[in-house]
Amino acid sequence: MEVNMNTLLAAGLLLLFAMPGELYRIPPHEEVARMARFVANQCNWASMATISTHEPVQGQPFSNAFSTSDGPVGSGTGVPYMYLTTMEISVQDLMVNPQASLSMSLAQTDFCKNQGYDPQDPLCAHIIFSGSVLEINGTEATFAKKALFSRHPEMVDWPTDHNWFFAKMNITKVWVLDYFGGVKTVTPEDYFKATPYKATPYKATPYKATPYKATPYKATPYKATPLRGHHSQFDAEESYVFRRDLEGRG
């Protein structure tokens, strides 16, 4: 399948830092293409099966583990990229026959463990890509390097004399098992059109102003308190003089 890689790479770069918490919610199992994209983006590695070219298993399926990345978590392109060397036994198989299958499972993340799902449980979503492994270069190789080295920083220090190169899984079919009822298939077209993460739209709460209600001012009448204390003796003497004056007039 021919995919517009410029569109995919641009989308991956634009969303590089757009990773709010809502992005990591697993899609509903009914949305099969979204589920496949989700698993591919969440997983850091895959099991790749090739047709062996080595004795004593020549011609038989041969599975091996490889680090992968389709871009930053939360904004992947859906294309599994790999960092390979011809010194690797499975890559030698690919040089003879590039056809392969790539398997990923949410058992590789904390999801299934947290939910109590066994890796073989259908609810522990896993996917299988069918297709071929192709070497890439140019702009796509630059993107693959950023995608892989950001999630596998150890790769930066791998031996330079191993002739490393970047490759991708050219997907021709997607197989998804994420619920009971058997495996489901997704076309590459539907797979790449799907959006694995849907952020919850922000809903602003309308501001409601509370009318200002002034409380009427109520003045408290002033009540003077008669002065008492050190004047009491003077008051008593003045009262005595006043009474005596009245008696003298009488």
Side-chain angles (χ1 to χ4, degrees), residues 233-244:
Q233 182 178 359
F234 171 79
D235 294 340
E237 292 176 352
E238 185 180 32
S239 177
Y240 169 75
V241 172
F242 178 71
R243 288 199 304 273
R244 186 180 61 178

Side-chain angles (χ1 to χ4, degrees), residues 69-101:
S69 173
D70 75 333
V73 176
S75 57
T77 62
V79 179
Y81 292 108
M82 293 171 280
Y83 195 38
L84 306 176
T85 172
T86 55
M87 298 176 68
E88 213 286 324
I89 188 171
S90 295
V91 177
Q92 293 170 8
D93 295 340
L94 295 172
M95 294 172 67
V96 176
N97 182 354
Q99 292 183 325
S101 62

